[in-house]
Amino acid sequence: MATRRIISQEKTLLDQPDPNSISPSSPPQKSNIAPAVPAAVIFKLLAFTLAMIVVPIGSYFATVNTLFNGNSTYAGGLAAVMANAVLIGYILVAMAEDQSDRLEEEKKRKQEGKKDL
């Protein structure tokens, strides 16, 4: 296996200046304290997680003796269908949210373009 020699004139990774460091000549930068993930996204994820637990189990126990007269196979099948319905619902909500974010960005770009003219 070949290795790369470090030439003494080259700067190593440790010798290179840190791009995040603040030098006295540069103006102070505004820090970004915004959360990495918006709170609305976390709440949607928690809601769908709770629904993924409650809806299939609830549909099983609600229908096993009332709708299917004790046939647990049909009630289990309905629970599986309901789990898939919750999953598909989550995917649709996530896709709609992604599209709305794109539309907002495009709207901002158009408004910035009009201001520049």
Side-chain angles (χ1 to χ4, degrees), residues 49-71:
T49 300
L50 183 66
M52 195 66 175
I53 295 168
V54 172
V55 171
I57 294 172
S59 67
Y60 174 82
F61 286 110
T63 61
V64 72
N65 289 324
T66 57
L67 187 63
F68 299 119
N69 297 325
N71 191 342

Side-chain angles (χ1 to χ4, degrees), residues 26-117:
S26 67
Q29 297 177 352
K30 229 179 183 182
S31 63
N32 185 4
I33 59 170
V37 179
V41 173
I42 299 295
F43 291 138
K44 285 178 192 174
L45 180 63
L46 289 174
F48 276 100
T49 300
L50 183 66
M52 195 66 175
I53 295 168
V54 172
V55 171
I57 294 172
S59 67
Y60 174 82
F61 286 110
T63 61
V64 72
N65 289 324
T66 57
L67 187 63
F68 299 119
N69 297 325
N71 191 342
S72 61
T73 303
Y74 291 142
L78 179 66
V81 168
M82 295 306 291
N84 285 318
V86 171
L87 182 62
I88 290 169
Y90 178 72
I91 291 169
L92 293 176
V93 168
M95 286 175 51
E97 181 179 330
D98 187 40
Q99 289 175 354
S100 67
D101 289 344
R102 266 192 235 140
L103 291 175
E104 287 177 9
E105 287 178 15
E106 289 175 5
K107 194 180 216 182
K108 286 180 184 178
R109 288 180 189 163
K110 286 180 183 178
Q111 288 176 353
E112 288 174 1
K114 288 180 183 178
K115 289 180 183 177
D116 292 339
L117 296 177

